[in-house]
Every structure is written in C-alpha cells, then in structure tokens.
C-alpha cells in the first residue's frame, strides 16, 4: 500500500491502513474455502454413489416387471397345454370305458394305460398350476422388495443431500471474507489527508490513524 502523507487525496473507500490480523484472516478465508470445497466434493460423491444405487434398484424393478409378464404368460400356456392333454387322455379313457360297457372287447391293459394317462395328465396339471401360482407369488414379493430397495436408495440420497454442510460452509466462508475485508481501514469520505497520526504497530481503536477533510466543502 502506498504510504499516506499530508496532502494525499482520497476517495471514499480507498485503503488507508492494514491491520496486523490480515494474515490470520487470509488464512481463515483459505481454510473456509477448502472446507467448502471438501463439502461440495463430498456431496458430489454422495450424489453419484446414491444415483448409482437408485439406478441399480430401478433396473431391478424394471427387470421384474418385464419378466413377470412373459414368465406368467409362458406358465399359463403350459397349464393350458397340460389341461388339453388331460382332456384328451380322459376322452380316450371314457371311450374305452363306453366300449367295454357296450360289450366291446377291451383289453384290461389298454384300459389301465388309459387310466394311467389320465392320472399322469392330472398330476401334470396340478404341478403346472402350482408352479404358476408360486411364480406369481414370488414376483409379487420380489417386486415389493425391489420397490422398497428403490425407496430406500432415494431416501438415502435425500438424507445425504440434506446433511451436506454446504450452506453452513458457504456462510462460514462469507463471514471469513467479511472479517478479512475489515482488516483494511478505508477512507470514510472523499477528502485530503491533513495529518497522518498512526504508525506501524499502533493498536487501532485508541488513537486516530489520520486526520482528513473535504477541502472543497470548506
């Protein structure tokens, strides 16, 4: 800063002296700036990580929704197919029974095979229906779990954002800058320096640093 001397003309806000605490205040500003950057970096990392979890959970939900329709359709078709097999086996058995009732010679072995075919087809229908029901139930439960996982991932991200000390760090940096600005004493008015009363190392607030006046108004 250029040394002031009587006769120096100053504008309002021109610096007239620097307080000894400026170096410390500059350090405070640097520390606050670093803390703010660290908070912003941590928030960015939390957002990235949280979004990845959300995307993964959403992918699970989408996969279940897409797989459910095709899987249940295939199993329903299987049930329909084995029911047709059962009906065909039952028709063969009933025809043999009717022939035997009409006194047509029917081998006991053929009748037994026809009955076995009906029983086997009936068992296959039961199994197919059970698999369809079990699969449908599993999809319901898995979709609930996937939806809960997705909701939890979203909640975790929201909590991380809410807890990020960005605002407090910004306020701390702003306060540090204000305190740094106060370490520069500035001319309160436009005017001319009449006398420099201060000296290096002089405590502020006890004696005036300088005397000045607006000579144009005198």
């Amino acid at each position: 800063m250029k040394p002031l001397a009587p006769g120096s003309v100053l504008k309002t806000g021109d610096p007239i002296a620097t307080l000894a605490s400026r170096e410390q205040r500059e350090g405070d500003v640097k520390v606050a700036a670093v803390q703010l950057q660290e908070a912003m970096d941590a928030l960015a990392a939390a957002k990235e990580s949280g979004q990845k979890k959300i995307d993964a959970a959403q992918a699970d939900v989408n996969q279940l929704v897409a797989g459910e329709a095709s899987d249940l359709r295939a199993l329903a078709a299987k049930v329909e197919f084995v029911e047709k097999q059962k009906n065909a086996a039952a028709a063969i058995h009933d025809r043999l029974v009717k022939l035997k009732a009409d006194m047509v010679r029917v081998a006991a072995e053929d009748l037994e095979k026809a009955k076995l075919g009906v029983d086997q087809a009936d068992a296959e229908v039961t199994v197919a229906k059970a698999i369809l029901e079990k699969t449908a139930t599993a999809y319901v439960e898995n979709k609930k779990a996937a939806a809960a996982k997705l909701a939890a991932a979203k909640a975790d991200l929201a909590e991380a954002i809410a807890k990020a000390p960005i605002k407090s760090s910004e306020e701390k940096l702003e306060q540090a800058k204000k305190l740094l600005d106060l370490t520069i004493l500035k001319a309160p008015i436009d005017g001319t320096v009449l006398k420099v009363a201060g000296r290096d190392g002089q405590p502020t607030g006890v004696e005036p640093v300088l005397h000045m006046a607006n000579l144009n108004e005198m």
Side-chain angles (χ1 to χ4, degrees), residues 4-22:
L4 297 177
S8 299
V9 177
L10 300 176
K11 294 292 185 180
T12 302
D14 284 348
I16 59 176
T18 302
L19 301 183
S21 61
R22 183 169 180 80

Side-chain angles (χ1 to χ4, degrees), residues 77-193:
K78 174 68 174 178
V79 170
E80 183 179 359
F81 175 73
V82 294
E83 283 182 333
K84 287 181 179 179
Q85 286 185 319
K86 174 186 175 181
N87 292 336
I92 293 174
H93 178 264
D94 291 346
R95 184 164 60 251
L96 292 177
V97 170
K98 186 174 183 302
L99 288 174
K100 186 175 181 179
D102 291 339
M103 306 305 291
V104 176
R105 185 176 178 181
V106 177
E109 182 180 354
D110 291 339
L111 190 61
E112 183 63 26
K113 286 182 179 180
K115 179 63 171 61
L116 182 61
V118 172
D119 293 341
Q120 182 177 352
D122 187 52
E124 290 178 354
V125 169
T126 299
V127 171
K129 286 183 176 180
I131 292 175
L132 174 60
E133 182 179 353
K134 182 179 180 180
T135 302
T137 300
Y139 267 111
V140 170
E141 296 303 318
N142 289 339
K143 285 194 297 181
K144 286 181 181 179
K149 185 178 178 180
L150 176 59
K154 290 180 177 180
D156 288 344
L157 177 56
E159 183 179 3
I161 293 174
K163 287 185 175 181
I166 302 298
K167 182 174 177 58
S168 61
S169 296
E170 289 175 338
E171 292 173 348
K172 185 176 180 179
L173 177 58
E174 185 63 27
Q175 181 64 22
K177 288 180 177 179
K178 289 180 179 179
L179 293 176
L180 175 62
D181 188 57
L182 293 177
T183 61
I184 300 294
L185 299 184
K186 301 175 182 179
I189 60 171
D190 294 347
T192 302
V193 177

Side-chain angles (χ1 to χ4, degrees), residues 23-46:
E23 184 176 350
Q24 178 183 342
R25 297 305 182 193
E26 288 176 339
D28 292 343
V29 169
K30 291 180 180 179
V31 170
V34 169
Q35 290 176 339
L36 174 58
Q37 187 59 53
E38 288 176 345
M40 293 175 66
D41 291 344
L43 176 58

